[in-house]
Amino acid sequence: MRKGELTRQAILDEAVGMARFSGLSGLTIGSLAAAANMSKSGLYAHFKSKEALQLACMERNAEQFAEEVFRPALAKPRGIARLQAIVENWMEWYSHPGGCLFLAASVEFDDMTGPLHDHMVGSQRLLIESLARVAATAVAEGEFTEDTDVFQVAQEVFGILVSYNWMSRILSYPDAADRAWAAFNRLTDSFHS
């Protein structure tokens, strides 16, 4: 990467960290400039507007998610083992200070219109579609029955993960992970061939 790209990535890493606490609506060029020890004009040169900054922050969050959750799971065998690795990595993702920016953006932008809403919806669809593709590998490997509805698997896995986040982060239930894994195992057993 060139120096300008490295600088931009470092700025966006800072922005993602801030947005996890303040939400994307609370992220401004001014607040980020102060946190990144830059001038507003220097930061403006990178993003041009608050909305451009917010969109870039959402994109960087998605890149980080792919790096931490999906890419390591690809080292696992296709099928249930890979799906299990994604769930494990995703549960770890939720432990980031400030929580999950995907969930925060979903709440912030669900009833809005425009580029931020559209980006949020697109990223959520991509997550579900990615889970469905991994579930399809379990079908191809003979671990799930041939008639398995892979989008049903994806929705249920996503539901387990969102529920885990709520039970763990919001309610601080000490057995949240055990219950999430029990639900995951029950789910995979129900589709097992």
Side-chain angles (χ1 to χ4, degrees):
M1 269 191 220
R2 295 182 314 208
K3 183 180 177 190
E5 292 168 348
L6 288 171
T7 300
R8 180 180 167 88
Q9 186 169 319
I11 292 167
L12 287 172
D13 287 345
E14 182 74 31
V16 169
M18 290 175 65
R20 284 188 176 131
F21 285 96
S22 66
L24 285 162
S25 297
L27 182 65
T28 65
I29 288 179
S31 64
L32 182 57
N37 203 19
M38 293 180 68
S39 68
K40 284 184 187 180
S41 61
L43 202 58
Y44 185 80
H46 285 279
F47 302 105
K48 308 292 184 216
S49 72
K50 179 179 177 176
E51 184 176 81
L53 169 62
Q54 292 168 323
L55 286 168
C57 184
M58 291 172 86
E59 289 168 7
R60 180 62 187 142
N61 180 66
E63 290 168 3
Q64 290 174 342
F65 185 84
E67 291 166 8
E68 294 180 33
V69 176
F70 276 90
R71 284 196 189 107
L74 294 177
K76 299 291 183 184
R78 290 166 36 99
I80 293 173
R82 188 171 292 173
L83 190 60
Q84 184 174 353
I86 289 168
V87 170
E88 185 175 338
N89 297 342
W90 203 322
M91 288 169 69
E92 182 64 28
W93 170 264
Y94 282 145
S95 70
H96 280 291
C100 179
L101 189 53
F102 285 123
L103 294 179
S106 297
V107 172
E108 272 186 272
F109 303 119
D110 63 339
D111 290 327
M112 297 177 71
T113 58
L116 294 168
H117 169 271
D118 295 347
H119 193 285
M120 178 274 297
V121 170
S123 67
Q124 295 299 304
R125 284 186 202 275
L126 181 60
L127 291 176
I128 297 296
E129 290 164 3
S130 297
L131 288 171
R133 280 194 299 276
V134 173
T137 68
V139 173
E141 295 297 317
E143 296 175 328
F144 286 165
T145 60
E146 287 186 19
D147 64 345
T148 296
D149 181 343
V150 295
F151 276 92
Q152 183 66 36
V153 174
Q155 180 172 331
E156 291 188 38
V157 168
F158 187 76
I160 290 167
L161 288 160
V162 172
S163 173
Y164 164 75
N165 182 68
W166 192 268
M167 302 301 275
S168 175
R169 287 189 66 85
I170 307 299
L171 300 177
S172 300
Y173 284 174
D175 60 349
D178 293 338
R179 291 182 180 279
W181 284 115
F184 177 82
N185 291 332
R186 194 167 39 251
L187 171 68
T188 57
D189 288 350
S190 73
F191 289 102
H192 207 271
S193 61

